[in-house]
Amino acid sequence: MARIRLLLFGRYQDDLDLAQAELELPDRVTDVARLREWLSARDAAWEGICGAANPRLMTAVNQQMADATTPIGDGDEVALFPPVTGG
Amino acid sequence: MFTVRIQQDDFDPGAELERLHRGDLGAGGIATFIGLVRDLNLGDRVQGLTLQHYPGMTEKAVNAIVDEARQRWPIQGALVVHRVGPLAPGDRIVMVAVSAVHRGESFAACEFIMDYLKTRAPFWKKEQTPDGPRWVEARDGDQAAAKRWVD
């Protein structure tokens, strides 16, 4: 079973009152799209961030920008965040 | 010289520029941009803001942006200093400076780095307003500015 470290930034950190968590993934969760689907099923707040209705969600896997097809495996660091606003 | 720094502390733009071109007699000019905290956003007074970032990824993302600028233009040097943490109106947030043989490359690369910083580097601003704190929303204009460089 794959274990990942999940990080949240920006507004999502406040929305979920969570900055980071260690998660054990079910076997079927092997990429970013499936992770979003799995997290969306938790409750309305997670659904609001990870659900298909939020196309603005950005993801990074092991500190590199990721997309829906980026694979996720044991030991990975996965971050969820809104569009960036630096500069 | 190529430098990327993420830091809480303020910086001295003059000293940064001096370091960027000292010893580089091939550089014909430097284009510089400095971003500041404004006291007004979306019609509301801004008393200050906090810049959050993703430690570890931020440095990699900014270095990747500078590397891409180096592949696109023959630049002599580049500097990116980006602050994080609590800032007040008037404070410097970011400085980008690019040295090149001719001005065209330095202007273009400086603008490219800023456009990509605003859309690809993991920073988030939270403003303090009289009505309480609020996260700053990304501007569509910033996305459009970054897209210009794709074609």
Side-chain angles (χ1 to χ4, degrees):
Chain A
M1 182 171 273
R3 291 181 65 90
I4 64 162
R5 182 158 176 254
L6 185 74
L7 304 175
L8 298 155
F9 292 98
R11 167 190 307 283
Y12 301 160
Q13 204 175 78
D14 288 354
D15 290 350
L16 298 168
D17 194 20
L18 184 73
Q20 59 173 295
E22 305 287 329
L23 299 180
E24 281 195 7
L25 304 182
D27 290 341
R28 66 188 157 79
V29 176
T30 53
D31 61 21
V32 168
R34 292 184 179 93
L35 178 70
R36 285 183 65 164
E37 202 178 284
W38 180 62
L39 291 173
S40 291
R42 289 184 150 195
D43 64 27
W46 283 92
E47 160 86 41
I49 291 166
C50 294
N54 181 22
R56 290 164 74 81
L57 172 71
M58 295 177 78
T59 53
V61 175
N62 296 327
Q63 305 187 349
Q64 301 278 352
M65 290 295 185
D67 61 30
T69 63
T70 305
I72 293 174
D74 192 44
D76 284 348
E77 178 176 295
V78 180
L80 307 178
F81 46 85
V84 300
T85 55
Chain B
M1 192 178 74
F2 291 85
T3 307
V4 168
R5 292 203 321 270
I6 313 299
Q7 62 187 45
Q8 287 236 3
D9 294 339
D10 193 16
F11 51 84
D12 174 350
E16 300 292 349
L17 286 175
E18 179 66 28
R19 266 197 296 279
L20 177 62
H21 76 86
R22 188 185 300 147
D24 179 5
L25 303 180
I30 300 175
T32 304
F33 177 85
I34 293 175
L36 306 170
V37 180
R38 288 185 298 136
D39 67 355
L40 196 75
N41 190 25
L42 305 172
D44 296 310
R45 230 164 64 71
V46 174
Q47 295 149 325
L49 60 78
T50 304
L51 255 150
Q52 186 188 57
H53 77 126
Y54 180 173
M57 178 170 173
T58 314
E59 294 79 359
K60 287 179 198 167
V62 178
N63 273 300
I65 293 167
V66 171
D67 285 347
E68 195 167 339
R70 294 179 74 169
Q71 283 165 25
R72 287 174 177 241
W73 295 279
I75 56 180
Q76 300 277 118
L79 163 83
V80 179
V81 187
H82 203 302
R83 295 179 67 192
V84 293
L87 299 170
D91 281 356
R92 287 179 276 267
I93 302 173
V94 62
M95 174 171 176
V96 174
V98 178
S99 61
V101 176
H102 299 296
R103 70 183 182 286
E105 289 82 13
S106 30
F107 279 127
C110 185
E111 196 166 19
F112 169 87
I113 290 172
M114 270 311 300
D115 285 347
Y116 272 36
L117 267 185
K118 283 197 161 279
T119 51
R120 297 188 179 195
F123 295 98
W124 300 273
K125 292 189 183 108
K126 192 179 202 177
E127 296 174 332
Q128 280 82 48
T129 74
D131 295 330
R134 69 180 181 199
W135 290 99
V136 174
E137 295 289 340
R139 294 171 57 240
D140 291 340
D142 289 333
Q143 289 294 334
K147 278 208 180 82
R148 287 181 299 162
W149 303 103
V150 175
D151 301 327

PDB file of all heavy atoms in Angstrom, chain B residues 92-119:
ATOM      1  N   ARG B  92       9.269  46.186  -0.650  1.00  0.00           N
ATOM      2  CA  ARG B  92       9.648  45.442  -1.850  1.00  0.00           C
ATOM      3  C   ARG B  92       9.249  43.971  -1.670  1.00  0.00           C
ATOM      4  O   ARG B  92       9.458  43.406  -0.600  1.00  0.00           O
ATOM      5  CB  ARG B  92      11.167  45.519  -2.051  1.00  0.00           C
ATOM      6  CG  ARG B  92      11.665  46.871  -2.517  1.00  0.00           C
ATOM      7  CD  ARG B  92      13.179  46.883  -2.666  1.00  0.00           C
ATOM      8  NE  ARG B  92      13.825  47.142  -1.392  1.00  0.00           N
ATOM      9  CZ  ARG B  92      14.177  48.364  -0.962  1.00  0.00           C
ATOM     10  NH1 ARG B  92      13.956  49.431  -1.713  1.00  0.00           N
ATOM     11  NH2 ARG B  92      14.747  48.526   0.209  1.00  0.00           N
ATOM     12  N   ILE B  93       8.672  43.384  -2.728  1.00  0.00           N
ATOM     13  CA  ILE B  93       8.329  41.951  -2.702  1.00  0.00           C
ATOM     14  C   ILE B  93       9.355  41.157  -3.493  1.00  0.00           C
ATOM     15  O   ILE B  93       9.829  40.114  -3.063  1.00  0.00           O
ATOM     16  CB  ILE B  93       6.953  41.684  -3.356  1.00  0.00           C
ATOM     17  CG1 ILE B  93       5.851  42.478  -2.668  1.00  0.00           C
ATOM     18  CG2 ILE B  93       6.634  40.191  -3.335  1.00  0.00           C
ATOM     19  CD1 ILE B  93       4.493  42.369  -3.384  1.00  0.00           C
ATOM     20  N   VAL B  94       9.669  41.636  -4.678  1.00  0.00           N
ATOM     21  CA  VAL B  94      10.481  40.850  -5.596  1.00  0.00           C
ATOM     22  C   VAL B  94      11.374  41.771  -6.420  1.00  0.00           C
ATOM     23  O   VAL B  94      11.011  42.919  -6.698  1.00  0.00           O
ATOM     24  CB  VAL B  94       9.572  40.010  -6.527  1.00  0.00           C
ATOM     25  CG1 VAL B  94       8.678  40.888  -7.392  1.00  0.00           C
ATOM     26  CG2 VAL B  94      10.373  39.066  -7.415  1.00  0.00           C
ATOM     27  N   MET B  95      12.542  41.266  -6.764  1.00  0.00           N
ATOM     28  CA  MET B  95      13.410  41.977  -7.697  1.00  0.00           C
ATOM     29  C   MET B  95      13.905  40.974  -8.735  1.00  0.00           C
ATOM     30  O   MET B  95      14.353  39.881  -8.390  1.00  0.00           O
ATOM     31  CB  MET B  95      14.617  42.569  -6.965  1.00  0.00           C
ATOM     32  CG  MET B  95      15.642  43.208  -7.892  1.00  0.00           C
ATOM     33  SD  MET B  95      16.897  44.104  -6.940  1.00  0.00           S
ATOM     34  CE  MET B  95      17.995  44.605  -8.272  1.00  0.00           C
ATOM     35  N   VAL B  96      13.752  41.360  -9.996  1.00  0.00           N
ATOM     36  CA  VAL B  96      14.305  40.575 -11.098  1.00  0.00           C
ATOM     37  C   VAL B  96      15.224  41.490 -11.884  1.00  0.00           C
ATOM     38  O   VAL B  96      14.836  42.609 -12.233  1.00  0.00           O
ATOM     39  CB  VAL B  96      13.197  40.029 -12.022  1.00  0.00           C
ATOM     40  CG1 VAL B  96      13.804  39.330 -13.236  1.00  0.00           C
ATOM     41  CG2 VAL B  96      12.291  39.070 -11.268  1.00  0.00           C
ATOM     42  N   ALA B  97      16.433  41.066 -12.126  1.00  0.00           N
ATOM     43  CA  ALA B  97      17.366  41.859 -12.933  1.00  0.00           C
ATOM     44  C   ALA B  97      18.078  40.919 -13.894  1.00  0.00           C
ATOM     45  O   ALA B  97      18.457  39.806 -13.523  1.00  0.00           O
ATOM     46  CB  ALA B  97      18.376  42.565 -12.039  1.00  0.00           C
ATOM     47  N   VAL B  98      18.200  41.361 -15.142  1.00  0.00           N
ATOM     48  CA  VAL B  98      18.845  40.528 -16.161  1.00  0.00           C
ATOM     49  C   VAL B  98      19.869  41.368 -16.908  1.00  0.00           C
ATOM     50  O   VAL B  98      19.550  42.443 -17.417  1.00  0.00           O
ATOM     51  CB  VAL B  98      17.810  39.975 -17.169  1.00  0.00           C
ATOM     52  CG1 VAL B  98      18.520  39.150 -18.242  1.00  0.00           C
ATOM     53  CG2 VAL B  98      16.760  39.138 -16.460  1.00  0.00           C
ATOM     54  N   SER B  99      21.087  40.867 -16.974  1.00  0.00           N
ATOM     55  CA  SER B  99      22.123  41.554 -17.738  1.00  0.00           C
ATOM     56  C   SER B  99      22.361  40.805 -19.047  1.00  0.00           C
ATOM     57  O   SER B  99      22.247  39.581 -19.110  1.00  0.00           O
ATOM     58  CB  SER B  99      23.420  41.646 -16.933  1.00  0.00           C
ATOM     59  OG  SER B  99      23.896  40.348 -16.628  1.00  0.00           O
ATOM     60  N   ALA B 100      22.632  41.584 -20.095  1.00  0.00           N
ATOM     61  CA  ALA B 100      22.875  40.997 -21.415  1.00  0.00           C
ATOM     62  C   ALA B 100      23.781  41.933 -22.206  1.00  0.00           C
ATOM     63  O   ALA B 100      24.045  43.066 -21.792  1.00  0.00           O
ATOM     64  CB  ALA B 100      21.563  40.767 -22.151  1.00  0.00           C
ATOM     65  N   VAL B 101      24.233  41.445 -23.347  1.00  0.00           N
ATOM     66  CA  VAL B 101      25.092  42.265 -24.194  1.00  0.00           C
ATOM     67  C   VAL B 101      24.308  43.484 -24.692  1.00  0.00           C
ATOM     68  O   VAL B 101      24.795  44.612 -24.657  1.00  0.00           O
ATOM     69  CB  VAL B 101      25.617  41.434 -25.391  1.00  0.00           C
ATOM     70  CG1 VAL B 101      26.427  42.310 -26.342  1.00  0.00           C
ATOM     71  CG2 VAL B 101      26.468  40.271 -24.876  1.00  0.00           C
ATOM     72  N   HIS B 102      23.058  43.246 -25.144  1.00  0.00           N
ATOM     73  CA  HIS B 102      22.222  44.338 -25.639  1.00  0.00           C
ATOM     74  C   HIS B 102      20.910  44.385 -24.880  1.00  0.00           C
ATOM     75  O   HIS B 102      20.477  43.394 -24.298  1.00  0.00           O
ATOM     76  CB  HIS B 102      21.966  44.168 -27.132  1.00  0.00           C
ATOM     77  CG  HIS B 102      23.224  44.184 -27.946  1.00  0.00           C
ATOM     78  ND1 HIS B 102      24.035  45.280 -28.042  1.00  0.00           N
ATOM     79  CD2 HIS B 102      23.827  43.202 -28.668  1.00  0.00           C
ATOM     80  CE1 HIS B 102      25.080  44.993 -28.806  1.00  0.00           C
ATOM     81  NE2 HIS B 102      24.980  43.726 -29.192  1.00  0.00           N
ATOM     82  N   ARG B 103      20.245  45.559 -24.937  1.00  0.00           N
ATOM     83  CA  ARG B 103      19.074  45.761 -24.089  1.00  0.00           C
ATOM     84  C   ARG B 103      17.889  44.866 -24.441  1.00  0.00           C
ATOM     85  O   ARG B 103      17.114  44.495 -23.556  1.00  0.00           O
ATOM     86  CB  ARG B 103      18.631  47.224 -24.118  1.00  0.00           C
ATOM     87  CG  ARG B 103      18.021  47.671 -25.440  1.00  0.00           C
ATOM     88  CD  ARG B 103      17.667  49.149 -25.412  1.00  0.00           C
ATOM     89  NE  ARG B 103      17.034  49.582 -26.654  1.00  0.00           N
ATOM     90  CZ  ARG B 103      17.660  49.761 -27.815  1.00  0.00           C
ATOM     91  NH1 ARG B 103      18.957  49.521 -27.898  1.00  0.00           N
ATOM     92  NH2 ARG B 103      17.009  50.158 -28.887  1.00  0.00           N
ATOM     93  N   GLY B 104      17.733  44.513 -25.730  1.00  0.00           N
ATOM     94  CA  GLY B 104      16.559  43.737 -26.142  1.00  0.00           C
ATOM     95  C   GLY B 104      16.426  42.452 -25.342  1.00  0.00           C
ATOM     96  O   GLY B 104      15.345  42.130 -24.831  1.00  0.00           O
ATOM     97  N   GLU B 105      17.530  41.740 -25.232  1.00  0.00           N
ATOM     98  CA  GLU B 105      17.509  40.467 -24.507  1.00  0.00           C
ATOM     99  C   GLU B 105      17.221  40.678 -23.023  1.00  0.00           C
ATOM    100  O   GLU B 105      16.511  39.886 -22.399  1.00  0.00           O
ATOM    101  CB  GLU B 105      18.848  39.736 -24.640  1.00  0.00           C
ATOM    102  CG  GLU B 105      19.130  39.174 -26.011  1.00  0.00           C
ATOM    103  CD  GLU B 105      19.681  40.208 -26.983  1.00  0.00           C
ATOM    104  OE1 GLU B 105      20.084  41.305 -26.521  1.00  0.00           O
ATOM    105  OE2 GLU B 105      19.698  39.938 -28.198  1.00  0.00           O
ATOM    106  N   SER B 106      17.783  41.748 -22.453  1.00  0.00           N
ATOM    107  CA  SER B 106      17.571  41.924 -21.007  1.00  0.00           C
ATOM    108  C   SER B 106      16.128  42.315 -20.712  1.00  0.00           C
ATOM    109  O   SER B 106      15.529  41.796 -19.767  1.00  0.00           O
ATOM    110  CB  SER B 106      18.558  42.908 -20.377  1.00  0.00           C
ATOM    111  OG  SER B 106      18.958  43.880 -21.258  1.00  0.00           O
ATOM    112  N   PHE B 107      15.540  43.208 -21.534  1.00  0.00           N
ATOM    113  CA  PHE B 107      14.129  43.557 -21.313  1.00  0.00           C
ATOM    114  C   PHE B 107      13.250  42.313 -21.463  1.00  0.00           C
ATOM    115  O   PHE B 107      12.388  42.045 -20.634  1.00  0.00           O
ATOM    116  CB  PHE B 107      13.663  44.622 -22.310  1.00  0.00           C
ATOM    117  CG  PHE B 107      14.046  46.028 -21.942  1.00  0.00           C
ATOM    118  CD1 PHE B 107      14.724  46.846 -22.828  1.00  0.00           C
ATOM    119  CD2 PHE B 107      13.704  46.560 -20.702  1.00  0.00           C
ATOM    120  CE1 PHE B 107      15.059  48.152 -22.496  1.00  0.00           C
ATOM    121  CE2 PHE B 107      14.032  47.870 -20.359  1.00  0.00           C
ATOM    122  CZ  PHE B 107      14.720  48.669 -21.260  1.00  0.00           C
ATOM    123  N   ALA B 108      13.445  41.577 -22.544  1.00  0.00           N
ATOM    124  CA  ALA B 108      12.585  40.418 -22.825  1.00  0.00           C
ATOM    125  C   ALA B 108      12.711  39.368 -21.733  1.00  0.00           C
ATOM    126  O   ALA B 108      11.707  38.862 -21.225  1.00  0.00           O
ATOM    127  CB  ALA B 108      12.938  39.821 -24.189  1.00  0.00           C
ATOM    128  N   ALA B 109      13.944  39.030 -21.359  1.00  0.00           N
ATOM    129  CA  ALA B 109      14.134  37.975 -20.366  1.00  0.00           C
ATOM    130  C   ALA B 109      13.602  38.408 -18.999  1.00  0.00           C
ATOM    131  O   ALA B 109      13.041  37.594 -18.257  1.00  0.00           O
ATOM    132  CB  ALA B 109      15.616  37.600 -20.267  1.00  0.00           C
ATOM    133  N   CYS B 110      13.735  39.682 -18.663  1.00  0.00           N
ATOM    134  CA  CYS B 110      13.235  40.193 -17.387  1.00  0.00           C
ATOM    135  C   CYS B 110      11.711  40.068 -17.338  1.00  0.00           C
ATOM    136  O   CYS B 110      11.138  39.595 -16.355  1.00  0.00           O
ATOM    137  CB  CYS B 110      13.660  41.652 -17.212  1.00  0.00           C
ATOM    138  SG  CYS B 110      13.233  42.357 -15.611  1.00  0.00           S
ATOM    139  N   GLU B 111      11.062  40.431 -18.439  1.00  0.00           N
ATOM    140  CA  GLU B 111       9.600  40.347 -18.487  1.00  0.00           C
ATOM    141  C   GLU B 111       9.137  38.890 -18.469  1.00  0.00           C
ATOM    142  O   GLU B 111       8.167  38.541 -17.793  1.00  0.00           O
ATOM    143  CB  GLU B 111       9.090  41.057 -19.745  1.00  0.00           C
ATOM    144  CG  GLU B 111       7.614  41.348 -19.675  1.00  0.00           C
ATOM    145  CD  GLU B 111       7.148  42.335 -20.740  1.00  0.00           C
ATOM    146  OE1 GLU B 111       7.863  42.527 -21.749  1.00  0.00           O
ATOM    147  OE2 GLU B 111       6.068  42.880 -20.558  1.00  0.00           O
ATOM    148  N   PHE B 112       9.846  38.055 -19.199  1.00  0.00           N
ATOM    149  CA  PHE B 112       9.535  36.618 -19.218  1.00  0.00           C
ATOM    150  C   PHE B 112       9.622  36.025 -17.808  1.00  0.00           C
ATOM    151  O   PHE B 112       8.736  35.307 -17.355  1.00  0.00           O
ATOM    152  CB  PHE B 112      10.531  35.912 -20.152  1.00  0.00           C
ATOM    153  CG  PHE B 112      10.503  34.413 -20.083  1.00  0.00           C
ATOM    154  CD1 PHE B 112       9.618  33.687 -20.869  1.00  0.00           C
ATOM    155  CD2 PHE B 112      11.373  33.726 -19.242  1.00  0.00           C
ATOM    156  CE1 PHE B 112       9.597  32.298 -20.812  1.00  0.00           C
ATOM    157  CE2 PHE B 112      11.356  32.338 -19.183  1.00  0.00           C
ATOM    158  CZ  PHE B 112      10.468  31.624 -19.967  1.00  0.00           C
ATOM    159  N   ILE B 113      10.698  36.326 -17.113  1.00  0.00           N
ATOM    160  CA  ILE B 113      10.883  35.777 -15.758  1.00  0.00           C
ATOM    161  C   ILE B 113       9.746  36.255 -14.843  1.00  0.00           C
ATOM    162  O   ILE B 113       9.165  35.463 -14.091  1.00  0.00           O
ATOM    163  CB  ILE B 113      12.265  36.162 -15.189  1.00  0.00           C
ATOM    164  CG1 ILE B 113      13.365  35.410 -15.953  1.00  0.00           C
ATOM    165  CG2 ILE B 113      12.344  35.840 -13.693  1.00  0.00           C
ATOM    166  CD1 ILE B 113      14.786  35.856 -15.612  1.00  0.00           C
ATOM    167  N   MET B 114       9.381  37.535 -14.927  1.00  0.00           N
ATOM    168  CA  MET B 114       8.281  38.034 -14.093  1.00  0.00           C
ATOM    169  C   MET B 114       6.960  37.352 -14.453  1.00  0.00           C
ATOM    170  O   MET B 114       6.200  36.951 -13.567  1.00  0.00           O
ATOM    171  CB  MET B 114       8.131  39.558 -14.259  1.00  0.00           C
ATOM    172  CG  MET B 114       8.929  40.390 -13.301  1.00  0.00           C
ATOM    173  SD  MET B 114       8.784  39.902 -11.554  1.00  0.00           S
ATOM    174  CE  MET B 114       7.022  40.085 -11.269  1.00  0.00           C
ATOM    175  N   ASP B 115       6.674  37.235 -15.748  1.00  0.00           N
ATOM    176  CA  ASP B 115       5.411  36.601 -16.168  1.00  0.00           C
ATOM    177  C   ASP B 115       5.331  35.156 -15.673  1.00  0.00           C
ATOM    178  O   ASP B 115       4.276  34.693 -15.238  1.00  0.00           O
ATOM    179  CB  ASP B 115       5.285  36.622 -17.703  1.00  0.00           C
ATOM    180  CG  ASP B 115       4.941  38.006 -18.227  1.00  0.00           C
ATOM    181  OD1 ASP B 115       4.564  38.886 -17.430  1.00  0.00           O
ATOM    182  OD2 ASP B 115       5.054  38.213 -19.457  1.00  0.00           O
ATOM    183  N   TYR B 116       6.444  34.455 -15.732  1.00  0.00           N
ATOM    184  CA  TYR B 116       6.444  33.060 -15.285  1.00  0.00           C
ATOM    185  C   TYR B 116       6.431  32.956 -13.763  1.00  0.00           C
ATOM    186  O   TYR B 116       5.815  32.044 -13.208  1.00  0.00           O
ATOM    187  CB  TYR B 116       7.628  32.296 -15.905  1.00  0.00           C
ATOM    188  CG  TYR B 116       7.277  31.699 -17.256  1.00  0.00           C
ATOM    189  CD1 TYR B 116       6.437  32.381 -18.134  1.00  0.00           C
ATOM    190  CD2 TYR B 116       7.743  30.455 -17.643  1.00  0.00           C
ATOM    191  CE1 TYR B 116       6.085  31.835 -19.366  1.00  0.00           C
ATOM    192  CE2 TYR B 116       7.400  29.895 -18.875  1.00  0.00           C
ATOM    193  CZ  TYR B 116       6.569  30.596 -19.728  1.00  0.00           C
ATOM    194  OH  TYR B 116       6.215  30.043 -20.940  1.00  0.00           O
ATOM    195  N   LEU B 117       7.093  33.898 -13.092  1.00  0.00           N
ATOM    196  CA  LEU B 117       7.036  33.915 -11.618  1.00  0.00           C
ATOM    197  C   LEU B 117       5.594  34.036 -11.142  1.00  0.00           C
ATOM    198  O   LEU B 117       5.197  33.407 -10.161  1.00  0.00           O
ATOM    199  CB  LEU B 117       7.788  35.140 -11.080  1.00  0.00           C
ATOM    200  CG  LEU B 117       9.243  35.030 -10.699  1.00  0.00           C
ATOM    201  CD1 LEU B 117       9.694  36.362 -10.092  1.00  0.00           C
ATOM    202  CD2 LEU B 117       9.468  33.917  -9.695  1.00  0.00           C
ATOM    203  N   LYS B 118       4.822  34.851 -11.862  1.00  0.00           N
ATOM    204  CA  LYS B 118       3.449  35.123 -11.440  1.00  0.00           C
ATOM    205  C   LYS B 118       2.513  33.959 -11.724  1.00  0.00           C
ATOM    206  O   LYS B 118       1.394  33.946 -11.216  1.00  0.00           O
ATOM    207  CB  LYS B 118       2.919  36.390 -12.126  1.00  0.00           C
ATOM    208  CG  LYS B 118       3.475  37.655 -11.477  1.00  0.00           C
ATOM    209  CD  LYS B 118       2.661  38.868 -11.846  1.00  0.00           C
ATOM    210  CE  LYS B 118       2.872  40.023 -10.885  1.00  0.00           C
ATOM    211  NZ  LYS B 118       2.074  39.904  -9.658  1.00  0.00           N
ATOM    212  N   THR B 119       2.914  33.019 -12.549  1.00  0.00           N
ATOM    213  CA  THR B 119       2.003  31.936 -12.914  1.00  0.00           C
ATOM    214  C   THR B 119       2.542  30.539 -12.605  1.00  0.00           C
ATOM    215  O   THR B 119       1.790  29.575 -12.638  1.00  0.00           O
ATOM    216  CB  THR B 119       1.670  31.990 -14.425  1.00  0.00           C
ATOM    217  OG1 THR B 119       2.893  32.078 -15.168  1.00  0.00           O
ATOM    218  CG2 THR B 119       0.816  33.204 -14.747  1.00  0.00           C
TER     219      THR B 119
END
